[in-house]
Every structure is written in structure tokens, then in C-alpha cells.
Amino acid sequence: MTDSRIATARLGATGPEVGVQGLGCMGMSFAYGPSDADESRATLERALELGVTLYDTADAYGAGENEKFLSPFFRAHRDELVIATKFALAIDPDDPTKRIIRNDAPYIRQCVEASLKRLDVDVIDLYYMHRRDVNVPLEETVGVMAELVREGKIKHLGLSEVTAAELRTAHAVHPIAAVQSEWSLFSRDIEAKVVPAARELGVTLVPYSPLGRGFLTGSFAKAEDLTVGDFRRQQPRYTGENAAANAALLDPIRTVAEAHGATLGQIALAWVQQRASVHALPVIPIPGTRKPSRVEENTAATRIVLTEEELALLEPIASKVAGDRYADMRFASAGRE
């Protein structure tokens, strides 16, 4: 495995240069079952050695525990990396087991102060609105985020799971550096409107779940394969008949992987990375992992170039996927587009 550092791309028109692949850190302390803290820390260090400089977290990941876990690594390498975190998913006061979406000004200010404290930093490099609260004018929400930029608490603004119209509205208030949405061989809905809008506005796309939450790697074939408590057990694509139908869609990926001497995950990631040239805009996926060996595998995928014939073979997959990305799509861009 080569130790070559990955290439770089810019976040937005005026943002920092970061590795062309980032690291999703959620699973190190939330959502995907038990994790090994020492192995996760080794993963963070290995990622940085390989040129991964965008690290993604959120206040909702373990109710702030993910930010706390990452803070020692961030402090030790503050000038070498870009910290991205998010606000908007609040605990429902009527039911602590549920989340509600909040985009109101007092809540945003409360969240940024709490994240700064947990991360133990003076400024957040990239601050995302995690989800859209349609009951709060977007101009108001982005206006507060812009104030936080002027106050020196955040550097750049990001939005997650927004429609093209929402992106345009937000960008008119303050430049948006990045839009984070699900984008993979299984999830391509943003290509219709969001991607063209981002290209026009000079916004970088940051695909989350570029490996289909691990399904595209072949690491599991159905929800029952996962540990109890893994949130993927509740997602429509990985349960019942949907799971069986979707597992069959991996065959073309296997064919391409064999031709390259690569893993399924590497081909799935190479396809996402290649969206940058296909759609003519910066694309920085953030695959999540908790193992140094997986970071090595994932970053190596940035050097795989798929041929036109291979891209054509993979093209039909998304249209055949069974099941929605979420049980409730109202909070995803495709549900409002």
C-alpha cells in the first residue's frame, strides 16, 4: 500500500485547500455499535499522514461525545486540519429518545458555544446547518451563521441536505462553502438540481455515506447482520426484501473491482471521487471508518480512474435501488425538492 498523500481540493470559492477525501468521524462514538477508542485514535492519525485534512463531526453524534472524543486530536494538529461540525438536531423535550430540528437564532448560538467548548478550539472552520427547519426562514438562520463568522467563532458556512432553491437562498445571504448530502452509487437524487446549483455558485459537494453506509463494501447484506443498536437496522434499504434486492446490485461493482484488483469499497469511492470531473465541481467525500487499514484502502481509491465502459456498467445501479434513504424523507433534500 503506497503512502502517497492524496490530492487536494478547495472548500468553496474562498475556503481552505483540504484533502480530496475527508473522514467521517461519527462512527467512532455513535450509531454503528461498539468501537475501540485506541483504534479510532490510530485511524485519525493515519488519515492525517495520508493527507486527509477534513474531519467531520456534529453535536448530535452521541450528544456531543464525538466532539469531545476528537478534541485531543484536533488540539494536537490544529494547524494541519479543518474541523467541520454541525447544529440543528435537538433532543425533543417531550421525548428524550427522539430528535427535533431547530434552526432558530438562540439555539444556534447555544450550539456553537457548546461545540467550541467540547472541541476546545477558538474557532470552527466549517459550520453546517445539519438539517432544515422549514418553520424558520432560511434567511434568518443563515443570517445568524453569518454573524458568527463576523464574530470570529466560525470561518465558513455549510448546509446539509438542502434543495437547490434552499442553497440559492442561503448563498444570497452569505457565501456557502460546502453542501453535505448523501451521494453514492445507491443515492444520486442530488444530481438533478442540487449539484448543478452548487457548480453554478462555486460550492463544494461533500458526499456523506459514499459507501452506502457500508453496504456497497459488501461488509453486510442485511440488517440482521449488524449489531443490536446499529441505526442501519432501521433503514429501509437494508431490511427485508429491499436488502436482498439491493445486495444483487453489487455484481457490476464486483466486476469492475476485479478488473482493477481493488475492493468493492474502492470502486464505490472511486465512482464518487470521479463525480468531480463528471460534474465539473469540487467533490470531497467523507467515508467513515474506525480502522487505519480502511483509511489506507479508502484513500487509495482516489487514485483509481474508471473507464467510460466501467462507468456505463455502474450507471444503472441507482435507478434499481429498493427503499428510500430514510424512513422519513421530509428531512432530506429529495423529500422537498
Side-chain angles (χ1 to χ4, degrees):
M1 182 71 69
T2 178
D3 277 0
S4 299
R5 289 173 64 86
I6 60 176
T8 62
R10 187 173 297 281
L11 281 172
T14 60
E17 287 274 336
V18 296
V20 76
Q21 186 181 109
L23 181 64
C25 301
M26 178 180 76
M28 293 180 179
S29 49
F30 177 71
Y32 289 117
S35 63
D36 183 292
D38 289 338
E39 190 169 45
S40 291
R41 282 189 281 268
T43 300
L44 295 168
E45 295 286 353
R46 185 62 178 137
L48 190 60
E49 290 173 355
L50 292 170
V52 174
T53 52
L54 175 63
Y55 293 79
D56 186 88
T57 182
D59 61 0
Y61 299 162
E65 289 303 312
N66 195 236
E67 290 179 325
K68 291 179 182 177
F69 174 77
L70 295 168
S71 65
F73 172 72
F74 289 162
R75 287 198 308 273
H77 301 284
R78 188 64 188 98
D79 296 334
E80 304 171 68
L81 50 77
V82 171
I83 300 171
T85 192
K86 315 176 191 73
F87 73 88
L89 298 181
I91 295 174
D92 187 337
D94 298 323
D95 184 351
T97 66
K98 295 182 179 179
R99 296 279 185 179
I100 59 174
I101 299 174
R102 289 186 60 180
N103 290 173
D104 56 283
Y107 182 71
I108 296 170
R109 289 192 166 276
Q110 171 190 327
C111 287
V112 75
E113 296 296 342
S115 286
L116 285 167
K117 183 176 181 179
R118 285 190 294 265
L119 293 165
D120 194 18
V121 295
D122 295 326
V123 61
I124 294 166
D125 301 312
L126 178 60
Y127 200 45
Y128 286 103
M129 180 186 77
H130 205 158
R131 290 293 186 272
R132 169 83 199 283
D133 179 357
V134 296
N135 297 309
V136 177
L138 191 54
E139 295 89 342
E140 178 182 320
T141 299
V142 180
V144 176
M145 296 171 74
E147 290 174 4
L148 294 173
V149 173
R150 291 191 288 272
E151 293 167 16
K153 294 179 180 178
I154 61 180
K155 291 183 179 179
H156 303 282
L157 307 190
L159 304 172
S160 181
E161 287 290 354
V162 292
T163 67
E166 290 165 345
L167 174 56
R168 293 181 193 281
T169 296
H171 197 77
V173 177
H174 187 280
I176 302 299
V179 166
Q180 184 174 135
S181 285
E182 188 166 355
W183 200 5
S184 72
L185 279 167
F186 267 22
S187 301
R188 298 181 59 179
D189 48 71
I190 66 168
E191 293 177 23
K193 295 182 179 180
V194 177
V195 170
R199 180 177 61 242
E200 174 191 329
L201 299 172
V203 177
T204 296
L205 248 297
V206 179
Y208 73 83
S209 298
L211 294 171
R213 303 189 185 280
F215 194 85
L216 288 165
T217 70
S219 61
F220 73 100
K222 58 185 183 302
E224 290 77 13
D225 296 338
L226 304 167
T227 58
V228 175
D230 191 310
F231 89 117
R232 292 172 292 181
R233 291 173 68 99
Q234 310 303 320
Q235 291 193 297
R237 289 183 173 175
Y238 313 130
T239 58
E241 294 180 356
N242 288 347
N246 292 334
L249 298 178
L250 302 186
D251 288 344
I253 307 175
R254 290 192 178 93
T255 298
V256 177
E258 290 172 4
H260 285 268
T263 65
L264 272 69
Q266 285 179 317
I267 298 306
L269 272 176
W271 181 90
V272 176
Q273 301 278 177
Q274 215 157 322
R275 297 303 91 190
S277 57
V278 170
H279 293 280
L281 82 168
V283 176
I284 303 171
I286 48 169
T289 186
R290 301 175 288 194
K291 297 180 178 180
S293 61
R294 291 298 187 197
V295 168
E296 293 169 356
E297 178 182 326
N298 292 347
T299 53
T302 67
R303 294 182 285 276
I304 296 174
V305 179
L306 304 177
T307 67
E308 291 299 321
E309 292 77 14
E310 289 167 341
L311 292 174
L313 185 63
L314 301 174
E315 181 67 24
I317 292 176
S319 65
K320 299 177 181 178
V321 173
D324 284 331
R325 297 200 272 129
Y326 294 100
D328 187 344
M329 285 292 289
R330 291 177 299 167
F331 308 111
S333 59
R336 300 191 306 279
E337 194 68 73

